């Protein structure tokens, strides 16, 4: 990574120019509509372990675990969700690759899972008020950062999503203005820019504007919609990316990881870095 990126993110990627982070999606957890009681928690673990092995083998710089299949998503998770997700991740931790955790869409649950599993980073929405598929949404970044301190987890990086999927802001500030405000508060370790939903690209002009607005020492990552055919244009502005849907069989978010697609994406992204 560029030397200008200091702090937690720089320590995670000391020698990577533009980090490429792959999503590892857990199958639906107990208590959610999509949960498979026949396969049970062991089935969730086995499926995830296969995907993680492929992603690590082809050479991604980091893995981000996420409960992508727990649709419809909750804004306040139950205790069982946090406990089971932590157990599943703990059994699938890649031995030599940095990893993170994300819980859709409860930032406090994501923090708890990240701390329990020893994750290096987490992904969360840390501010704003949103009209979302899950109802009115008001994430509390101040509480999140205070809880990180209370848990003595200051080494845990927080990647702040300023344009969350499945939601629209009730305010009128453009993404670049929001990102600049959050970044200059000294809170985020990276800024993430997303499209309308998983697998959707944001406007290229949006990520370019966010990169221009944010202080140079704060990295800006493409968070959704990364594809082999377009990643070069995004990495001309972004400092790295998180990719999930493109890596799956037929490019469908809910499918298993496709090794050939993962390799194709990495080749295109490395060439653009």
């Amino acid at each position: 990574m560029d030397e200008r990126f200091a702090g937690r993110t720089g320590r995670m990627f000391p020698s990577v120019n533009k980090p490429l982070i792959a999503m590892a999606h857990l199958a639906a957890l107990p208590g959610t509509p999509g949960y498979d009681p026949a396969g049970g928690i062991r089935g969730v673990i086995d499926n995830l372990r296969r995907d993680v092995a492929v992603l690590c083998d082809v050479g991604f710089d980091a893995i981000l675990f996420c409960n992508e299949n727990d649709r419809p998503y909750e804004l306040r998770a139950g205790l069982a969700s946090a406990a089971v997700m932590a157990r599943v991740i703990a059994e699938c931790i890649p031995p030599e690759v940095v990893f993170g955790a994300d819980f859709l869409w409860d930032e406090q649950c994501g923090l708890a899972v990240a701390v329990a599993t020893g994750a290096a980073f987490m992904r969360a929405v840390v501010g704003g008020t949103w009209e979302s598929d899950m109802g009115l949404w008001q994430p509390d970044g101040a509480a999140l950062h205070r809880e990180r301190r209370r848990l003595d987890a200051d080494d845990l990086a927080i990647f702040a999503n300023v344009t969350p999927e499945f939601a629209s802001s009730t305010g009128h500030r453009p993404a670049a203005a929001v990102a600049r405000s959050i970044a200059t508060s000294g809170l985020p370790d990276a800024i993430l820019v997303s499209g309308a939903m998983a697998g959707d690209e944001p406007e290229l002009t949006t990520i370019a504007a966010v990169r221009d607005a944010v202080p140079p020492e704060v990295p800006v990552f493409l968070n959704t919609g990364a594809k082999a055919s377009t990643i070069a244009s995004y990495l001309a502005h972004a400092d790295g990316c998180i990719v999930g849907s493109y890596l799956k069989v037929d490019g469908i978010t809910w499918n298993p990881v496709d090794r050939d697609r993962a390799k194709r994406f990495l080749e295109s992204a490395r060439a653009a870095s």
Side-chain angles (χ1 to χ4, degrees), residues 2-254:
D2 194 309
E3 290 181 358
R4 69 176 184 253
F5 301 125
R8 300 177 186 89
T9 306
R11 290 195 293 271
M12 279 193 289
F13 305 110
S15 59
V16 180
N17 184 34
K18 299 221 173 188
L20 305 175
I21 301 172
M23 297 299 306
H25 295 149
L26 283 70
L29 298 176
T32 64
Y35 177 63
D36 174 17
I41 296 173
R42 177 49 54 188
V44 177
I45 293 168
D46 291 343
N47 290 333
L48 185 65
R49 187 175 284 154
R50 283 193 292 271
D51 279 356
V52 170
V54 173
L55 296 170
C56 291
D57 187 53
V58 300
F60 278 93
D61 300 309
I63 302 295
L64 177 56
F65 293 101
C66 180
N67 64 321
E68 197 81 29
N69 288 286
D70 283 356
R71 298 169 288 161
Y73 303 121
E74 296 179 291
L75 296 177
R76 290 293 173 261
L79 296 176
S81 295
V84 174
M85 187 171 180
R87 178 199 165 183
V88 170
I89 293 175
E91 295 206 31
C92 299
I93 291 174
E96 298 180 357
V97 177
V98 67
F99 73 95
D102 177 29
F103 193 96
L104 303 175
W105 288 92
D106 184 335
E107 69 275 9
Q108 290 286 350
C109 182
L111 173 64
V113 171
V115 172
T117 57
F121 67 103
M122 65 172 290
R123 179 173 66 176
V125 182
V126 299
T129 299
W130 305 87
E131 170 278 317
S132 79
D133 291 357
M134 298 76 66
L136 188 64
W137 179 14
Q138 294 179 285
D140 190 339
L144 179 68
H145 285 79
R146 283 162 173 77
E147 183 68 359
R148 178 177 67 176
R149 173 59 62 86
R150 189 186 74 82
L151 294 175
D152 193 26
D154 285 348
D155 288 340
L156 176 70
I158 295 177
F159 287 10
N161 187 353
V162 298
T163 54
E165 309 92 293
F166 311 106
S168 57
S169 176
T170 60
H172 303 287
R173 288 184 298 165
V178 174
R180 181 173 183 270
S181 179
I182 291 175
T184 54
S185 71
L187 296 181
D189 298 288
I191 294 288
L192 308 181
V193 180
S194 308
M197 61 183 294
D200 283 4
E201 296 171 311
E203 293 290 336
L204 186 60
T205 53
T206 300
I207 201 161
V210 169
R211 177 62 278 172
D212 288 344
V214 169
E217 65 272 14
V218 179
V220 173
F221 288 2
L222 173 66
N223 189 50
T224 67
K227 299 176 176 66
S229 60
T230 59
I231 190 59
S233 60
Y234 281 94
L235 289 181
H237 304 283
D239 303 300
C241 81
I242 298 173
V243 57
S245 297
Y246 181 84
L247 310 178
K248 303 300 191 68
V249 173
D250 298 326
I252 297 173
T253 304
W254 327 112

